[in-house]
Amino acid sequence: QVQLVESGGGLVQAGGSLRLSCAASGSTGSINAMGWYRQAPDKQRELVATITSGGWPNYADFVKGRFTISRDNAKNTVDLQMNSLKPEDTAVYYCFGRRLRDSFAFWGQGTQVTVSP
């Protein structure tokens, strides 16, 4: 069993920054890749960024150069530093962790990010 809890969302003006954090607990040793999805109202869920257990990141094109994903395996956390935020970044952001053996994904409860014009 793995539990993921996100924090750090909020309201920010366009051009501002937020840092999201995801804390994993439970059977964290079974988790390999971690990352973030987001979902805006009436839109499909979008993959934002992923990071391997070794710390190798990749990003969706729409956040490259603005967002940075990082993880601390000792603390079982994964963060998303979001800079130069745009109104279109407004969404609920969900943390996930993927189990290596079968790719089963665990999800957090989500944290709201709202970017005002």
Side-chain angles (χ1 to χ4, degrees):
Q1 184 71 34
V2 174
Q3 297 82 41
L4 302 172
V5 179
E6 302 98 330
S7 62
L11 175 64
V12 66
Q13 190 175 14
S17 298
L18 287 172
R19 188 176 184 90
L20 307 183
S21 184
C22 174
S25 61
S27 301
T28 57
S30 67
I31 299 300
N32 186 13
M34 300 186 73
W36 295 86
Y37 278 84
R38 71 185 188 186
Q39 188 165 31
D42 300 321
K43 295 183 67 177
Q44 68 178 23
R45 185 168 293 183
E46 299 176 306
L47 180 63
V48 177
T50 63
I51 187 166
T52 69
S53 61
W56 189 262
N58 56 65
Y59 301 95
D61 287 342
F62 55 81
V63 303
K64 284 182 178 177
R66 300 190 298 124
F67 291 9
T68 302
I69 189 170
S70 61
R71 69 189 293 171
D72 186 331
N73 291 333
K75 296 181 179 180
N76 296 315
T77 58
V78 57
D79 289 359
L80 186 69
Q81 177 66 45
M82 305 186 296
N83 299 325
S84 302
L85 283 162
K86 305 174 181 179
E88 52 262 45
D89 294 319
T90 296
V92 178
Y93 284 71
Y94 297 91
C95 174
F96 74 88
R98 182 156 289 146
R99 191 161 60 195
L100 177 62
R101 64 178 176 86
D102 61 0
S103 296
F104 183 86
F106 300 89
W107 295 84
Q109 82 287 355
T111 185
Q112 176 70 47
V113 172
T114 303
V115 184
S116 62

